[in-house]
Amino acid sequence: MRRDDQDAMVRITSAGGRVQADDEVRRPGRGGYLHRSAECLARFERSRIKEFRSLRRKIGLDERRDLTERIRSRLATTAQLE
């Protein structure tokens, strides 16, 4: 199985108790990646998995919804949503 390029994905980080999109890919802390596709963001949002493994942190439903909405709005303004 081939891994996707990180350039084609959105990096999210967990630092200071918050999960945020890392647009510059420079924020400190643990990081994870999501595809830029609406399908992947929706799947992440409604996932029943409580812990995001790469962040080593639990992410609640409200926090996932807030994060995906912020990512969608940023990608829509830059026309990068697939």
Side-chain angles (χ1 to χ4, degrees), residues 4-18:
D4 292 330
D5 292 330
Q6 291 178 350
D7 294 341
M9 301 177 89
V10 176
R11 182 172 189 259
I12 60 173
T13 60
S14 175
R18 282 185 63 196

Side-chain angles (χ1 to χ4, degrees), residues 19-72:
V19 178
Q20 302 172 339
D22 183 7
D23 298 324
E24 292 89 33
V25 189
R26 294 184 178 177
R27 287 197 174 131
R30 306 246 350 138
Y33 291 87
L34 294 172
H35 290 98
R36 295 178 188 265
S37 69
E39 178 186 342
C40 184
L41 292 174
R43 193 176 324 136
F44 171 73
E45 187 175 306
R46 66 178 186 263
S47 172
R48 292 183 184 187
I49 298 171
K50 303 249 189 258
E51 184 173 350
F52 200 74
R53 200 175 346 176
S54 63
L55 298 178
R56 294 184 184 161
R57 181 183 186 287
K58 291 183 180 183
I59 303 174
L61 179 59
D62 291 336
E63 194 172 16
R64 285 194 308 262
R65 285 181 181 156
D66 183 48
L67 178 64
T68 56
E69 274 304 309
R70 283 185 277 143
I71 291 171
R72 280 187 190 108

